[in-house]
Amino acid sequence: SGTGYDFGFSAIINDKHTAAFAITDIGQITWTENLLQANDTLMPSLDSTNTGFESWDMNSQASFFMGDFFSYDPGQSYVINLPGKMRMGYSLKVNDKIKVGVDVVVPLNKTLYNIQSPYIAMGGEVKLGSLIRVHAGFAGNKQIGWNVPVGLTLGPLGFFELGLATGDVLTYFAKTDNPNISFAMGVVRFNFGELDTAK
């Protein structure tokens, strides 16, 4: 059981500047059931007749691994903090064809599941004609490396829209220390109300 809190706000100024700030995952979870506490143990003497697992049925073989090599006692409770983060973002609508933005995510604690250093993402969108939009950016941190996401959107064509994107285009063209094979595609968009084709 536990509780987590998020709060934030955003503001749009002159339909050109957008700024946002948020604090997320503030809280903790307490585990009180199904807990095991591992104890330090000495390496048992190996039996020359014991050659290891003898079946693909892991239930029948669990005692060999769990009983001989590890020692557990029932645990009372375990508390873990949620991976709290502070998020800040800003975007600028340069004109009807160009938009740019930047996001920064900063860890607020050192939990196991949190990022270890600030994450920065910068990107932009350029509209070519009335149907084509090209997206590109730069994102990452020193912990997980850096990526260059790229996307292309065609549409809207009525209620259809085709979008293609990858989380890191460098992975497909050059050897990197942080390969990130990803591909996303969207083919349908539902528009409600009148479509402003002037933009």
Side-chain angles (χ1 to χ4, degrees), residues 119-131:
Y119 181 91
I120 301 172
M122 297 175 285
E125 173 187 285
V126 178
K127 191 171 184 180
L128 306 175
S130 60
L131 297 178

Side-chain angles (χ1 to χ4, degrees), residues 131 133 135 150-156 160-166 183-189:
L131 297 178
R133 283 170 288 158
H135 319 268
V150 173
L152 176 68
T153 303
L154 176 63
F160 284 100
E161 182 174 274
L162 175 63
L164 305 173
T166 178
F183 179 77
M185 180 175 64
V187 294
V188 177
R189 171 178 175 171

Side-chain angles (χ1 to χ4, degrees), residues 133-153:
R133 283 170 288 158
V134 178
H135 319 268
F138 181 75
N141 63 13
K142 63 180 182 180
Q143 174 194 358
I144 63 175
W146 301 94
N147 297 321
V148 179
V150 173
L152 176 68
T153 303

Side-chain angles (χ1 to χ4, degrees), residues 113-124:
Y113 306 104
N114 209 350
I115 58 176
Q116 302 302 309
S117 59
Y119 181 91
I120 301 172
M122 297 175 285

